[in-house]
Amino acid sequence: DAGITQSPRHKVTETGTPVTLRCHQTENHRYMYWYRQDPGHGLRLIHYSYGVKDTDKGEVSDGYSVSRSKTEDFLLTLESATSSQTSVYFCAITPRVRGTEAFFGQGTRLTVV
Amino acid sequence: AQTVTQSQPEMSVQEAETVTLSCTYDTSESDYYLFWYKQPPSRQMILVIRQEAYKQQNATENRFSVNFQKAAKSFSLKISDSQLGDAAMYFCAYRSVRNLRSGNTPLVFGKGTRLSVIA
């Protein structure tokens, strides 16, 4: 358990509304990631962070923004949710140790109607 | 960029039998790590096994073992004595160590294989 908590766990929202998902970690890891999981696509990287205020885009970043004002919190925002953003979202961390796997939060199931 | 391919969207196995899940990857790097993750219906991502590319010996964890063929860029997972609790989605993943100094080494995932276990 790497002390990662995602909130909310489930959310239903309407098309066009803004949505923010939160990832909170308790172990002071520097590197954090947001993935989305869709059937037939596996997990795809949306954005990542390598420190406070240091973020960058991943493979599927269009329509998403992130912020990291504190080490422990990494926020993912959908500025104007679309039905194509219905997905399961995972936050992950990778400790800066050679060979260590990624640790994941419990996931957030987001449905955009 | 690295890619990971899992060519079997679904597999099934009889309880107590053995099943092998396939994974191939594409990379120009010589040093990296490979992982198998299990995702049960709870959605939790659980590490099953890891393999270091510079180690020739195949990793094993109890009933789980891998067949790592570096030249062929193949990393298959063998589950022996399959149990009902093994039913899950399995993901193969790659992690580069090239940027480890900066820490920016996100995992790259395959699309997954859904394993069913038949009683």
Side-chain angles (χ1 to χ4, degrees), chain A residues 9-10 31 33 35 37 40 42-43 45 48 88 90 94-102 104 106-107 109, chain B residues 31 33 35 37 39 42-43 45 47 50 54 91 95 97 100-112:
Chain A
R9 295 293 309 279
H10 300 88
Y31 310 101
Y33 309 86
Y35 288 89
Q37 181 183 0
L43 281 78
L45 184 67
Y48 59 92
V88 177
F90 283 97
T94 53
R96 192 178 170 181
V97 174
R98 183 181 178 89
T100 307
E101 69 272 22
F104 289 82
Q106 321 95 304
R109 178 175 293 281
Chain B
D31 196 10
Y33 286 79
F35 305 92
Y37 279 86
Q39 186 184 48
S42 67
R43 276 204 319 248
M45 292 289 286
L47 178 72
R50 76 166 67 83
Y54 65 87
F91 292 101
R95 184 182 186 194
V97 298
L100 192 60
R101 182 180 296 276
S102 69
N104 177 23
T105 54
L107 271 66
V108 177
F109 287 87
K111 294 182 178 181

Side-chain angles (χ1 to χ4, degrees), chain A residues 60-87:
Chain A
V60 290
S61 60
D62 286 350
Y64 301 95
S65 63
V66 290
S67 65
R68 192 164 178 204
S69 59
K70 299 183 291 184
T71 298
E72 58 265 34
D73 289 326
F74 191 30
L75 305 181
L76 177 70
T77 297
L78 291 65
E79 301 291 346
S80 178
T82 67
S83 58
S84 65
Q85 294 175 312
T86 292
S87 186

Side-chain angles (χ1 to χ4, degrees), chain B residues 19-37:
Chain B
V19 64
T20 298
L21 308 184
S22 301
C23 173
T24 59
Y25 57 95
D26 187 26
T27 184
S28 59
E29 300 172 344
S30 59
D31 196 10
Y32 48 86
Y33 286 79
L34 297 164
F35 305 92
W36 278 98
Y37 279 86

Side-chain angles (χ1 to χ4, degrees), chain B residues 3-4 9 12 29 37 42 65 72 78 83 89-90 100 106 108 115:
Chain B
T3 59
V4 177
S12 62
E29 300 172 344
Y37 279 86
S42 67
S65 62
K78 185 171 80 171
Q83 301 175 358
M89 182 73 89
Y90 287 83
L100 192 60
V108 177
L115 178 66

Side-chain angles (χ1 to χ4, degrees), chain A:
Chain A
D1 184 359
I4 305 171
T5 304
Q6 291 184 232
S7 58
R9 295 293 309 279
H10 300 88
K11 186 172 182 64
V12 180
T13 192
E14 292 185 350
T15 299
T17 60
V19 177
T20 296
L21 308 183
R22 180 184 184 229
C23 178
H24 178 79
Q25 54 127 339
T26 60
E27 299 188 4
N28 207 35
H29 294 295
R30 182 175 171 187
Y31 310 101
M32 301 182 74
Y33 309 86
W34 277 107
Y35 288 89
R36 61 177 288 175
Q37 181 183 0
D38 303 288
H41 291 278
L43 281 78
R44 294 178 291 174
L45 184 67
I46 306 172
H47 280 280
Y48 59 92
S49 170
Y50 40 93
V52 173
K53 299 189 189 305
D54 290 325
T55 64
D56 207 346
K57 296 179 180 180
E59 175 189 357
V60 290
S61 60
D62 286 350
Y64 301 95
S65 63
V66 290
S67 65
R68 192 164 178 204
S69 59
K70 299 183 291 184
T71 298
E72 58 265 34
D73 289 326
F74 191 30
L75 305 181
L76 177 70
T77 297
L78 291 65
E79 301 291 346
S80 178
T82 67
S83 58
S84 65
Q85 294 175 312
T86 292
S87 186
V88 177
Y89 292 87
F90 283 97
C91 176
I93 62 98
T94 53
R96 192 178 170 181
V97 174
R98 183 181 178 89
T100 307
E101 69 272 22
F103 295 91
F104 289 82
Q106 321 95 304
T108 296
R109 178 175 293 281
L110 176 67
T111 302
V112 184
V113 297

